[in-house]
Amino acid sequence: MQRALITLAFASLFSTAIHAQPCLANWDYYLPVILDNAAGQALSDFQMRVDLPLAPLISAGKLRPDAADLRVVDSLCQPLPFYIDSTLAASSNTLWIRIPGIGAGKQYKFRIYYGRPQAQNSAASGDDTFIFFDDFEAPAVDPDKWEAIGAYATWQQSGGEMTYASDYNSTTGARFKFVRSRAFFKGPHLFDFGITQSTNANFGFGSNRDTLNRYLLRYQSGASDTMDLPAVLTDSTSNGYATVTDWPNLAVIRDQPQDLSVLVQVNAADHLLIERIGNRTTGQQVTVPFEFNYFEQDSFSFVISSFSVSFEVSLRYLKVRKPVTFPTVRILAEGFQGTPSSVPDPRTALLRVFPNPTRGLLDLRPEFRVLQWQLRDLQGRSLLSLPGSESRIDLSPLPSGLYLLEAQVPDGEPVRLLIQRS
């Protein structure tokens, strides 16, 4: 009898969400997503940000704790490259998805699938998603991605960081040596990276025409944590550099991890142009462009540089992507295409919550005793708490989106269900 109730409940709850032609038939759940580019220009081959906290799905037993069963596919069930931008224990997560294109005023539809415990190998790939990517999780520096120019005292990779220091000291005459990416870029590209740097260990960009021609963004000497010296260096092996000037006055705390973003390109004059630079750790951003016109170049590499043995610079990650105005994201109601026996928590079917999606009023008809109702956002924050005797919740004051309904029960874990406020 209970099995029949479960089957009937799922049939009524998910009948409108089941796709006529199932994609990834062995996966139980999916979230349909619509990108709406009504107000935007045509975009091609770009990295799209979708904020989707994964902890509620893991807590509900729908997603593996390591998210190895997460998949993203287009409307034809073709896989889309994606990357999960934070730890699964975080209060929120960002999925970066590589979208082949979307026309001006058009929509693009895809699905995010999950709910296959047997999936062992994650499909997430930073290399496939971004123009250039390194999270430095490998046991050693990837020689296909990075090369050292000049001798060094430290160049290693461990604990999710690549650390570099020049070999210069008081008895040697060569300083400001560096590591550069083997990939070269023309842009415009956004460079998102996590860095820990010091007075004379910094980042910058190198020229493709002459290995030793490069620009570094450095600090003024003294106690200030303001990065305001664009240095033009042209000779790594004899310490020479052309000039420095004042820009951009960006606060970047020395010797502490910071998350920076730089929008940079080679302009029509073959000069390096930094359009803006920001510190995502502090929220500060400098939007006054700066053009380096000391030498010409067709493309540029990403550089980290060190003055001496005592000055180290460390990178935690580097992601290079296209700068675009993101289309509007709409995440629709969760779909189900599994069988009742594959549902991690069969009690969910007996919650009897409807309609879902809802425009506001949500009727509660659980077939078990509920002590208390909790409504949470996908960051886990409590929005509403009601006694278990309540039979209706009004979601109309809340914006459209996904919410997590929890039913506290006398014994065991809460019963959880995703609710769509349409």
Side-chain angles (χ1 to χ4, degrees):
M1 179 65 178
Q2 185 179 11
R3 179 61 177 270
L5 285 173
I6 293 174
T7 304
L8 178 61
F10 269 100
S12 62
L13 189 61
F14 293 107
S15 60
T16 59
I18 297 177
H19 198 257
Q21 296 179 339
C23 171
L24 299 185
N26 293 324
W27 270 252
D28 289 339
Y29 303 98
Y30 62 87
L31 288 174
V33 182
I34 298 176
L35 303 183
D36 191 341
N37 199 32
Q41 308 237 343
L43 303 172
S44 63
D45 192 21
F46 66 100
Q47 292 74 31
M48 179 69 204
R49 173 176 181 156
V50 176
D51 292 320
L52 178 68
L54 301 177
L57 299 178
I58 295 173
S59 297
K62 296 179 177 181
L63 177 68
R64 281 176 55 113
D66 60 1
D69 53 334
L70 199 70
R71 299 292 186 271
V72 183
V73 299
D74 66 13
S75 58
L76 298 177
C77 203
Q78 296 301 306
L80 294 175
F82 71 95
Y83 176 75
I84 304 172
D85 205 13
S86 54
T87 63
L88 298 177
S91 59
S92 63
N93 300 99
T94 294
L95 267 61
W96 288 102
I97 302 168
R98 192 160 187 163
I99 303 296
I102 180 172
K106 302 296 184 179
Q107 291 185 343
Y108 184 88
K109 300 179 181 181
F110 62 91
R111 287 182 173 184
I112 300 171
Y113 278 83
Y114 47 94
R116 179 157 175 77
Q118 299 89 341
Q120 300 294 323
N121 300 316
S122 173
S125 170
D127 288 322
D128 292 339
T129 304
F130 295 99
I131 297 168
F132 181 89
F133 172 85
D134 204 335
D135 60 2
F136 308 108
E137 292 293 341
V141 174
D142 188 341
D144 293 330
K145 293 183 177 180
W146 303 97
E147 64 175 334
I149 307 300
Y152 51 85
T154 302
W155 188 29
Q156 63 184 17
Q157 186 167 303
S158 65
E161 288 190 342
M162 179 175 71
T163 301
Y164 174 81
S166 165
D167 70 340
Y168 173 77
N169 56 50
S170 59
T171 61
T172 62
R175 54 185 179 175
F176 287 116
K177 299 173 184 179
F178 59 101
V179 166
R180 70 175 182 178
S181 63
R182 289 191 178 273
F184 283 82
F185 314 91
K186 187 175 180 66
H189 291 329
L190 261 172
F191 288 72
D192 296 328
F193 55 100
I195 193 168
T196 304
Q197 54 190 357
S198 57
T199 303
N200 288 299
N202 315 104
F203 75 92
F205 303 95
S207 168
N208 70 312
R209 294 189 184 180
D210 189 319
T211 299
L212 302 184
N213 286 353
R214 64 209 183 279
Y215 305 107
L216 300 179
L217 297 183
R218 300 178 52 210
Y219 297 91
Q220 290 274 16
S221 58
S224 172
D225 284 324
T226 299
M227 203 172 59
D228 55 4
L229 281 182
V232 184
L233 291 95
T234 59
D235 191 344
S236 173
T237 59
S238 63
N239 311 327
Y241 60 92
T243 187
V244 295
T245 187
D246 292 325
W247 180 89
N249 293 316
L250 182 74
V252 180
I253 301 174
R254 279 181 268 204
D255 302 314
Q256 291 190 22
Q258 307 278 277
D259 296 286
L260 306 183
S261 289
V262 185
L263 177 56
V264 60
Q265 66 173 303
V266 175
N267 65 15
D270 288 346
H271 294 155
L272 190 77
L273 175 67
I274 297 182
E275 296 189 38
R276 68 174 185 264
I277 180 170
N279 186 341
R280 289 179 289 119
T281 302
T282 65
Q284 183 193 4
Q285 185 168 213
V286 175
T287 57
V288 178
F290 189 88
E291 181 178 1
F292 293 90
N293 55 10
Y294 298 91
F295 49 78
E296 296 179 351
Q297 57 197 82
D298 306 295
S299 59
F300 58 91
S301 59
F302 185 86
V303 167
I304 56 174
S305 180
S306 165
F307 179 89
S308 71
V309 172
S310 58
F311 291 106
E312 288 187 346
V313 57
S314 296
L315 276 180
R316 301 191 314 279
Y317 63 89
L318 173 63
K319 300 190 291 287
V320 183
R321 58 187 175 92
K322 279 189 177 180
V324 299
T325 299
F326 294 128
T328 301
V329 179
R330 284 197 291 140
I331 301 177
L332 305 184
E334 180 183 63
F336 176 76
Q337 59 181 22
T339 61
S341 62
S342 68
V343 179
D345 187 350
R347 300 174 301 168
T348 303
L350 302 179
L351 271 182
R352 304 280 294 167
V353 173
F354 55 89
N356 187 18
T358 178
R359 293 185 180 275
L361 293 178
L362 191 67
D363 286 322
L364 311 174
R365 299 288 186 271
E367 296 186 16
F368 48 79
R369 184 185 174 203
V370 176
L371 300 177
Q372 187 179 51
W373 297 100
Q374 284 278 351
L375 185 69
R376 302 181 185 276
D377 62 18
L378 292 189
Q379 283 75 41
R381 294 171 296 206
S382 178
L383 303 176
L384 186 63
S385 179
L386 295 172
S389 58
E390 290 289 338
S391 61
R392 177 170 287 185
I393 295 179
D394 186 4
L395 276 64
S396 57
L398 299 174
S400 300
L402 290 173
Y403 297 91
L404 187 67
L405 180 66
E406 287 187 354
Q408 304 287 338
V409 295
D411 299 307
E413 290 291 316
V415 184
R416 299 179 175 90
L417 181 69
L418 278 174
I419 302 297
Q420 170 76 12
R421 164 73 168 89
S422 60

